[in-house]
């Protein structure tokens, strides 16, 4: 999940796996695979950084778990 801020200032979490694309129109609009669109304060570059950090965290945890379970077998 990544944290984003609506133009109203409300913060909430978005599932990074559901983001289909992000565009600047000039506001930043996140379109989800469900078709829902979210307008946020963060720039496109910031959203991309947050998605990358989210994915890195997932893959790091997966590698740690894989390593742990391989030792157990």
């Amino acid at each position: 999940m990544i944290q984003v801020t609506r133009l109203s200032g409300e913060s909430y979490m978005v599932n990074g796996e559901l983001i289909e694309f992000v565009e600047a129109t000039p506001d930043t609009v996140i379109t989800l695979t469900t078709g829902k669109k979210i307008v946020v304060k963060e720039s496109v570059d910031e959203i991309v950084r947050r998605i990358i950090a989210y994915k890195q965290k997932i893959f790091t945890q997966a590698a740690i778990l894989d390593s742990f379970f391989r030792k157990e077998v």
Side-chain angles (χ1 to χ4, degrees):
M1 303 283 277
I2 65 167
Q3 186 172 359
V4 296
T5 311
R6 286 190 183 264
L7 296 180
S8 66
E10 177 187 5
S11 255
Y12 64 101
M13 304 298 283
V14 173
N15 185 337
E17 299 298 327
L18 295 181
I19 295 174
E20 186 171 6
F21 57 90
V22 182
E23 58 188 322
T25 63
D27 293 324
T28 304
V29 179
I30 299 172
T31 303
L32 304 179
T33 57
T34 62
K36 182 175 182 174
K37 293 181 183 284
I38 306 165
V39 181
V40 298
K41 285 185 175 182
E42 291 81 5
S43 68
V44 171
D45 289 340
E46 180 59 27
I47 296 297
V48 169
R49 277 192 285 279
R50 291 180 187 188
I51 292 168
I52 290 169
Y54 164 74
K55 298 267 188 178
Q56 286 174 334
K57 185 184 259 186
I58 288 172
F59 288 119
T60 299
Q61 292 298 317
I64 290 168
L65 287 172
D66 184 58
S67 173
F68 174 77
F69 286 113
R70 286 179 187 266
K71 290 179 185 175
E72 294 291 316
V73 176

